[in-house]
Amino acid sequence: MGKLTTHVLDTAHGRPGAGIRVELFSLDGDARRRLATVVTNSDGRCDAPLLEGSAFKTGEYELVFHAGDYFAAAGVALPAPRFIDRVVLRFGVADPKAHYHVPLLVSPWAYSTYRGS
């Protein structure tokens, strides 16, 4: 059974990104449809897959991580406007029977992602 999962690592502080709001959208051309909004747990993960089973389909998706709000709440001095605020990751799912894990490594100044397992 395929599924979509994510987690966030705060590379500035060397810890999980706990309490980060994450939004998931499906994309159809320029149209976006919100599928879920979650908040990461103390381990920087979601308590359940964002999508799984028959809800997980071939197509394009977008994850929006509210990293700027997380760093501001942690007391990090940020410029106005923030250099990293919302991190938007657009990706495609070609095999909805597979596990797509999309982690985010983030600091106030940089981020990276990859397809994990």
Side-chain angles (χ1 to χ4, degrees):
M1 176 172 65
K3 62 184 175 180
L4 172 64
T5 58
T6 190
H7 76 272
V8 183
L9 298 171
D10 173 348
T11 58
H13 297 101
R15 62 184 180 214
I20 297 177
R21 184 165 59 126
V22 180
E23 297 173 289
L24 171 66
F25 296 88
S26 65
L27 304 174
D28 185 8
D30 290 334
R32 297 167 74 217
R33 183 170 57 98
R34 186 188 326 263
L35 301 176
T37 301
V38 298
V39 175
T40 57
N41 62 24
S42 62
D43 195 35
R45 298 177 183 275
C46 302
D47 291 329
L50 296 168
L51 287 174
E52 63 183 329
S54 63
F56 191 40
K57 301 178 183 340
T58 300
E60 294 182 71
Y61 294 88
E62 181 178 277
L63 284 168
V64 180
F65 298 86
H66 292 257
D69 292 344
Y70 163 80
F71 286 113
V76 176
L78 301 171
R82 298 168 181 166
F83 183 72
I84 300 289
D85 190 23
R86 291 186 182 131
V87 177
V88 179
L89 302 178
R90 286 191 172 195
F91 60 96
V93 170
D95 180 6
K97 294 179 183 170
H99 181 187
Y100 282 71
H101 184 66
V102 184
L104 177 69
L105 289 74
V106 66
S107 80
W109 309 107
Y111 67 88
S112 66
T113 191
Y114 56 94
R115 181 174 173 196
S117 60

